[in-house]
Amino acid sequence: MYVKTYQRAKSFFGEFERKPGDHLTTHYCPGCGHGNLHKYIAEAIDDLGLQDRTIFVNPVGCSVFAYYYMDVGNIQVPHGRAPAAATAIKRAHPDSLVISYQGDGDLAAIGGNEILHAANRGENITVFFINNAIYGMTGGQMAPTTLLGQKTITSPFGRATEREGFPLRVSELLATLEGPTYIERVGLFDNKSRMKARKAVRKALRNQVEGRGFSLVEILSPCPTGWGLTPTESCEWMQEKMVKQFPLGVIKDESASREGWNRYRQVVPAEKLPEILDLTKESTEQFTPTDVPGCYRNPSIKIAGFGGQGLLFLGKLLAEAGMRHAYNVSWIPSYGPEMRGGTANCQVNISTEPIGSPLVSRPSVLIALNRPSLDKFEPEVASGGLIIYDSSLIDRAPERGDVEVIALPATKLADEAGSARAANMVALGAYLGRTNLLDQTGVFKILEKMTKSEDQMAINRRAFDAGARFAMF
Ligand SMILES: Cc1ncc(C[n+]2csc(CCOP(=O)(O)OP(=O)(O)O)c2C)c(N)n1
Ligand code: SF4
């Protein structure tokens, strides 16, 4: 006997957080198209067997709520920026299935630039573009796709060409570019159109899996709330009005000729990088990893103080030295327009694990060289972390009782070593003296290359030693 079982797609959460206890309804308005589309996408992901490799990029708009329903990797991004984030994710993880899920306000207004360039680059991502001709989430303002004559709260007399210009046909616009592989417009107003939408969703996802490049499906989707219509009236309005402005069908399809087009798999072999980046003249000598006590391993470090105190230099030195010890490293600076005198910090990760983000928002180590930095970053330090602060300049001790603290008279010790400006080297000595994170001889070799004169190097050494002696157990 043939038995057909209908069940929820595995790529959906069993419990919807916004509606606890209710497995059947979402929080979308009755008649909204998002629910249909979520379903088609979730089923396609199931069938592709890629739930554990799917990353859904949710920007701003009603689309953002997809993360309450899709049981896949979710990342929320600022308004309009999903194609940029999706690009980065796909390039970093070519084996993942990356979905950019965007409304028309998001994609065609604030994010118009992003989508244009992602499409033009032919990124191997899938974009679902939910065109409901209005800003739904914020109460029904005019979108670039709003129809002529359509009343919204920001076009109360109806959209008029002389005031608001023409509705933007994004899919046709993108199809003029060489980059995109597949662009189709579908609708969600009757069973036939929904089945076509379902098919297009699958094709766009499959294209990505097969490395065929950029696919975008524009989905004309009802927004009864924004339109002030019932769900049934909305479907009629779509058929009568919307489809005339946005004709359905395949707008561009080069899927067949773009087999194996996924150029991001053509990764440059690691051994070729030094040559390509012209690093062959640099020493690539590797240093022997040290024996680091467990609590000091894989640090996320924030080094903060005034511009001119050598914070960025210190961070770069740590990152370079970490790299030569075969760790994964990252370094990013953060400073105001005033490079000298203003507050600045840099963030460094040194890890045996791959580094997901260079941002250090919960440092395990804070090196604070002025009072504003200690005030600002002390609360961020992870419990069990380490704070080293310049007690010659900072007139208060950290208040945290759950972190290790070194009150280091860095500027005073640097002054005694020959220059107050070498306080950063005192801090480095103290940090490495306490943690044994890196091989000191190796660090000095790099420092020599980065230091302009022998006199300066002599001061650096003395300052480093003073810091190390001070902090060593
Ligand atoms: C930078 C920024 N600007 C404006 C907003 C306000 N805002 C939130 S949602 C939205 C419009 C979303 O419309 P659309 O992308 O069409 O999605 P829908 O809600 O219709 O699904 C706007 C302008 C915001 N959150 N962030
Ligand atoms: S406002 Fe419109 S797009 Fe948003 S949930 Fe309601 S019907 Fe859907």
Side-chain angles (χ1 to χ4, degrees), residues 302-307 311-312 331-339 342-347 359 376-377:
K302 195 165 253 180
I303 307 169
F306 291 122
L311 315 162
L312 308 187
W331 171 87
I332 48 166
S334 168
Y335 43 78
E338 65 290 45
M339 286 282 280
T343 53
N345 73 73
C346 72
Q347 305 172 29
L359 288 179
K376 186 166 176 195
F377 298 122

Side-chain angles (χ1 to χ4, degrees), residues 34 60-63 79 103-107 110 132 134-138:
H34 278 298
V60 175
C62 291
S63 335
H79 211 1
D104 48 342
D106 186 80
L107 181 141
I110 192 168
N132 56 18
I134 207 157
Y135 289 6
M137 177 182 247
T138 40

Side-chain angles (χ1 to χ4, degrees), residues 113 123 220 265 282 333:
N113 194 29
E123 297 295 340
L220 304 185
R265 284 176 189 273
E282 301 285 327

Side-chain angles (χ1 to χ4, degrees), residues 136-216:
M137 177 182 247
T138 40
Q141 294 82 0
M142 196 194 91
T145 46
T146 295
L147 302 190
L148 291 178
Q150 186 183 341
K151 288 185 181 170
T152 68
I153 59 170
T154 47
S155 58
F157 307 112
R159 182 176 189 164
T161 48
E162 57 275 25
R163 265 196 314 272
E164 290 99 3
F166 295 88
L168 197 64
R169 292 196 185 97
V170 176
S171 290
E172 282 82 348
L173 191 72
L174 296 181
T176 63
L177 305 172
E178 286 170 76
T181 299
Y182 165 59
I183 300 179
E184 179 167 356
R185 184 181 289 119
V186 295
L188 298 173
F189 45 80
D190 61 13
N191 284 347
K192 209 170 149 199
S193 65
R194 290 190 193 104
M195 284 309 100
K196 281 197 177 155
R198 185 172 181 268
K199 218 171 131 198
V201 164
R202 282 164 185 260
K203 174 163 176 159
L205 291 173
R206 190 167 287 285
N207 267 359
Q208 187 185 155
V209 176
E210 293 169 358
R212 291 174 198 268
F214 184 91
S215 294
L216 178 144

Side-chain angles (χ1 to χ4, degrees), residues 253-311:
D253 190 5
E254 295 188 3
S255 310
S257 61
R258 292 202 177 172
E259 197 174 351
W261 203 65
N262 187 353
R263 56 202 152 94
Y264 307 117
R265 284 176 189 273
Q266 297 165 13
V267 178
V268 177
E271 62 275 14
K272 287 213 165 167
L273 278 178
E275 194 190 321
I276 292 167
L277 298 174
D278 199 20
L279 299 176
T280 42
K281 288 176 235 103
E282 301 285 327
S283 163
T284 49
E285 184 187 344
Q286 291 292 306
F287 306 124
T288 320
T290 49
D291 189 14
V292 191
C295 61
Y296 299 131
R297 283 183 202 152
N298 296 350
S300 296
I301 308 164
K302 195 165 253 180
I303 307 169
F306 291 122
Q309 281 184 306
L311 315 162

Side-chain angles (χ1 to χ4, degrees), residues 23-76:
H23 301 258
L24 300 175
T25 54
T26 67
H27 72 280
Y28 292 118
C29 311
C32 174
H34 278 298
N36 287 113
L37 190 57
H38 285 9
K39 180 169 182 278
Y40 304 149
I41 297 172
E43 286 172 352
I45 295 170
D46 278 8
D47 291 350
L48 288 166
L50 290 179
Q51 183 186 8
D52 59 345
R53 280 201 271 141
T54 299
I55 302 173
F56 222 90
V57 186
N58 309 275
V60 175
C62 291
S63 335
V64 74
F65 298 123
Y67 57 60
Y68 284 114
Y69 305 105
M70 308 299 299
D71 187 5
V72 296
N74 284 288
I75 175 164
Q76 216 233 305

